Every structure is written in structure tokens, then in C-alpha cells.
Amino acid sequence: MAQLQARFFTDNHKYVVDDVPFSIPAASEIADLSNIINKLLEAKHEDHKYVEFDFLVKGQFLRMSLVKHMEAENISTEEVVEIEYVEKYTAPQPEECMFHDDWISSIEATEEWILTGSYDQTSRIWSLEGKSIMTIAGHTEVVKDVAWVKKDSLSCLLLSASLDQTILLWEWNVERNKVKALHCCRGHAGSVDSLAVDCTRTKFCSGSWDKMLKIWSAVPTDEEDEIEEAANRPRKKQKIEQLGLTRTPVATLSGHTEAISSVLWSDAEEICSASWDHTIKIWDVETGGLKSTLTGNKVFNSISYSPLCRRLASGSTDRHIRLWDPRTKDGSLVLLSLTSHTGWVTSVKWSPTHEQQLISGSLDNLVKIWDTRSCKAPLYDLAAHEDKVLCVEWTEAGLLLSGGADNKLYSYRYSATTSDVGA
């Protein structure tokens, strides 16, 4: 049987083996390599308990036999191959299942609560244990996105955006568990599909089917803004009384030629917007000017930015997740594609604590966890949903969330293993 010379290394001091070349079978798979490392550790420490490891060769996770991986990556089998090993991540387990009366379009969680938006025209606040705390009703149409603005000791501010073309700014009195609409943000001429709050928690932006990106104040006031009525449009009689004081945008940024599907702040002065026009645009908030455009060849459904690796991840209708450098001079340069979904990728979200991991949801009913060091296969498929997955979320505390067309919101606990900290 063909043998290879391999040297093993790890950043985890607990599991270091001797820094010498070992002769191992070329056809070794992950389990075989794991056995080798465990045998070496047993020889050094009598009380060693078996640990499952994952292996990386030149920064890519091993997902086939060693010799096949080396052939695929054009790595010479004549020289000593350097193999990195890390403790294997434990598979996330579904913990709680929560229900809306219709599709769940959006999720945003804090360290204490989960906020969801639904096609049943409501938003809901849940405890992390899955208990429904508050149902927020006020929109006349489907809720497309939700966001937390800020929290102080007694109350929280939050936002809901809807197909009814408005965004409502709500105050939730936590102690009394009462909710009140403070402002009705008007100005979009189409469904408001995406919201994002800036790092100062004083502004937010919205993206709409009307192709416009708008910036608004998130600070509650007692003032009502005047709406400019189009002269030729007969005033519709308000069927229902408006909730909250009218608020108009601080700025409108136009440039997209199709609906805007996803917006985010990459820093205090920069907004990224993804659109059905196959572009992601990067805007200067101060001037309202367009800084750069990233150009794909398919509709973008979702984007997420990681301040840790300074990369944008995008999910598209062609089933691929792509990673981009938002500061690139070459706007068509894709750094990496993650390919495994068999339906539209509806939602992507970077891990807030691990610069190489992200989660995705798709119309193929699956949620996938990815490590960018393994772009041909996800770390895990989470197959809890019985219908399309429409939104995903990843919290600082390691809680993963997904919502779908089965009207269910699932939470999963995913703890990074010890070797992973600071990776």
C-alpha cells in the first residue's frame, strides 16, 4: 500500500504531537488520521481520552482520502505533507421550535430575546427558551424584515418593515410588556424588504422593491414630518388610523435598477445594498454617493458582512454563496464560492465570533453551516424544516436560528469547541 510522509501540527497545545515526519497510508481518510493522532497522544499521556479531529491540508479541510485531496489540489506526494489538525466541531442540535401563523420572513436575536417577522402581518418577541412574550400587530400586510434598535433598562426600540410600504418604529416596555408604535416611516413606493440599524443605534436604512435605499433617524421624537403628496394623485381615504407619528427619510440613495433585497452597514459611514439587478452597491453615507459596485450574474437575495474577516457573503438565485472583498478595485472578482444548496439561497449570516464560519438558508429546505476552508462541502446540513427556509441568524452566544415557510422557527445550539477559540 502506497505510503506518504506527513508532519502533523496544531494550534491547540493540549493535543500537540512530535514535530517529526510519520509514514502513513496515502489512502488515509479523516477517521484513519484521527486514529493516528489519538494513538500518538495515548503514547504521551496515559489518561488521554479519544478525541475526534478534522484535518486541513494547505488551509483546506480534508473531505476525501488524503491522496485524492492532494491530487485535486496539485500537491506533490513526493515531499513531506504538512497536515493541520483541529478538534472536530460538534453537530448543532435543534433545541426549540416556535410557531407563527404563516411564513417566517425574518429573525434578529439579542442575548436575551428573539424578534421575528411573519407573513401573518405580525412581529413576535420570544424568549431564548422559545416562549412567546409579545405579538406586535400594526401592519396591514406581510412583515418582511425586523430589527432591534436599542435596549435600555426599561424599554426596547425595534423596527418592522412591511409589504404595506411602511416601517414602524416601536417601543416595547419590557417591565409592563406593552408595545406602542412611535413612528410610521413613509416614503417607499413598494414593499420594504430589508432593514439595518447603524452602530450608533441612531440611524437605520431600508431597501425596497421601489429600487430605492433610504436612510432614516431611529431616534424617537414628538414631531410629525410632513409628507409631500404627489399633485396628480388623488388622496386615498385612510382606511385605518395610522399608528404612530409620520416620519420621512433623511436621505434617499438611488442607483439600483431593480428591487433591493438586502441592506447592511459595513461600518458607521458605509452601507451595502444587494439587488435583483445582479449588483451589490457600496454607498458613502455622509455624501450619499456611490463608492463602488460589485457585479454578479444572478439575482442577489441576501448579504452579510463580517468585520472579523472583512468579507461580504452573498446568497443568490443560482444556488451559490459567494464571498467578496467590498474594498476591491475589481468589482467582478469573487474570492470564493460555496456550492452545495440545490435551491435559491435566501439568507446568509456570518458567525459573529468565528471569521471562517457562516450559516445559509435555502428554498431546498436546508440550513447549512460552512467553514470557508471547506468550500466544496458544508460542515453540517440542518434538515429540521419541512418547507423553504427564508431566514437565518447567528448570535454572539452561539445560538443559530432559522425560519421558514413551514411557519416554524428553530433554534440550534452550536458551541465552538475549545480548539476553536481564537482561531
Side-chain angles (χ1 to χ4, degrees):
M1 187 188 218
Q3 299 278 311
L4 284 172
Q5 295 290 304
R7 185 184 268 115
F8 295 99
F9 69 98
T10 184
D11 288 339
N12 191 331
H13 305 304
K14 267 198 315 195
Y15 301 129
V16 171
V17 298
D18 294 340
D19 184 17
V20 294
F22 295 93
S23 185
I24 59 169
S28 297
E29 308 256 351
I30 298 172
D32 307 316
L33 296 176
S34 222
N35 285 335
I36 293 168
I37 298 293
N38 276 283
K39 285 209 171 71
L40 292 168
L41 290 170
E42 273 167 28
K44 290 179 81 171
H45 312 283
E46 281 177 18
D47 57 350
H48 172 75
K49 289 196 170 49
Y50 192 90
V51 179
E52 277 195 65
F53 291 104
D54 243 330
F55 297 86
L56 297 103
V57 181
K58 292 216 164 151
Q60 284 291 313
F61 274 108
L62 195 63
R63 287 294 178 262
M64 50 189 88
S65 73
L66 188 54
V67 69
K68 278 192 181 148
H69 179 93
M70 291 171 72
E71 278 168 16
E73 300 291 328
N74 288 326
I75 302 167
S76 165
T77 51
E78 301 299 310
E79 291 160 26
V80 176
V81 58
E82 303 276 336
I83 303 176
E84 183 181 359
Y85 56 104
V86 293
E87 204 174 331
K88 207 178 182 77
Y89 304 107
T90 48
Q93 299 302 322
E95 286 207 336
E96 306 295 341
C97 179
M98 295 150 258
F99 291 88
H100 263 278
D101 297 333
D102 207 334
W103 295 10
I104 297 171
S105 63
S106 46
I107 321 167
E108 188 169 275
T110 68
E111 60 280 5
E112 289 180 82
W113 301 295
I114 302 161
L115 176 63
T116 54
S118 168
Y119 278 57
D120 64 15
Q121 304 184 5
T122 72
S123 310
R124 278 195 191 163
I125 299 166
W126 313 80
S127 71
L128 297 183
E129 295 72 45
K131 189 169 156 284
S132 177
I133 298 171
M134 165 63 74
T135 299
I136 305 169
H139 286 289
T140 59
E141 264 293 357
V142 165
V143 173
K144 295 303 292 283
D145 203 6
V146 289
W148 294 98
V149 180
K150 61 191 282 199
K151 162 185 177 262
D152 54 38
S153 54
L154 296 173
S155 67
C156 291
L157 292 177
L158 49 112
L159 293 161
S160 57
S162 170
L163 186 65
D164 67 15
Q165 307 182 5
T166 71
I167 302 147
L168 289 169
L169 175 63
W170 303 88
E171 182 178 48
W172 173 41
N173 182 313
V174 181
E175 206 175 23
R176 296 191 11 247
N177 199 22
K178 290 265 190 298
V179 71
K180 179 185 173 195
L182 302 180
H183 291 281
C184 180
C185 305
R186 294 179 172 278
H188 279 299
S191 174
V192 188
D193 278 15
S194 184
L195 288 171
V197 181
D198 81 330
C199 57
T200 68
R201 320 310 284 172
T202 59
K203 297 195 286 284
F204 69 93
C205 64
S206 59
S208 164
W209 270 82
D210 67 7
K211 310 171 193 171
M212 297 300 162
L213 173 67
K214 291 182 187 281
I215 300 171
W216 315 73
S217 164
V219 181
T221 63
D222 296 330
E223 289 157 34
E224 180 131 36
D225 295 342
E226 287 294 311
I227 285 205
E228 293 170 28
E229 287 290 339
N232 56 358
R233 230 175 43 195
R235 279 201 68 151
K236 278 192 206 152
K237 283 216 173 83
Q238 286 262 324
K239 284 192 198 124
I240 56 157
E241 204 172 305
Q242 177 183 302
L243 287 164
L245 300 168
T246 299
R247 173 160 286 183
T248 55
V250 179
T252 298
L253 312 183
S254 65
H256 281 295
T257 57
E258 292 290 344
I260 296 174
S261 53
S262 188
V263 294
L264 58 84
W265 299 75
S266 39
D267 63 36
E269 291 303 327
E270 189 177 272
I271 292 172
C272 303
S273 58
S275 167
W276 283 47
D277 66 11
H278 304 184
T279 69
I280 298 166
K281 292 190 183 292
I282 296 153
W283 308 84
D284 183 312
V285 174
E286 197 61 41
T287 64
L290 183 62
K291 286 166 97 168
S292 60
T293 299
L294 306 174
T295 309
N297 53 9
K298 282 287 182 291
V299 163
F300 287 112
N301 294 319
S302 174
I303 49 172
S304 176
Y305 178 71
S306 169
L308 302 177
C309 66
R310 302 173 65 151
R311 296 283 179 263
L312 268 175
S314 68
S316 286
T317 54
D318 66 355
R319 312 185 303 282
H320 299 289
I321 296 156
R322 293 180 177 84
L323 304 192
W324 311 77
D325 176 0
R327 281 157 196 82
T328 183
K329 295 282 172 278
D330 178 0
S332 59
L333 183 69
V334 176
L335 300 173
L336 195 64
S337 293
L338 307 176
T339 306
S340 165
H341 279 298
T342 56
W344 287 20
V345 180
T346 51
S347 187
V348 288
K349 192 73 198 278
W350 281 102
S351 161
T353 54
H354 191 307
E355 66 180 46
Q356 282 146 330
Q357 294 193 359
L358 64 151
I359 184 175
S360 62
S362 164
L363 298 190
D364 63 13
N365 303 4
L366 290 175
V367 173
K368 290 178 188 276
I369 297 177
W370 299 89
D371 189 298
T372 55
R373 295 166 295 182
S374 167
C375 54
K376 295 183 181 76
L379 288 180
Y380 293 106
D381 281 355
L382 309 183
H385 286 281
E386 293 143 13
D387 205 338
K388 301 181 277 288
V389 178
L390 303 175
C391 48
V392 292
E393 167 72 318
W394 193 326
T395 75
E396 295 255 349
L399 192 67
L400 307 180
L401 296 152
S402 61
D406 52 6
N407 309 351
K408 289 177 184 168
L409 169 71
Y410 282 101
S411 68
Y412 318 80
R413 187 60 67 180
Y414 180 54
S415 52
T417 51
T418 45
S419 59
D420 199 43
V421 176

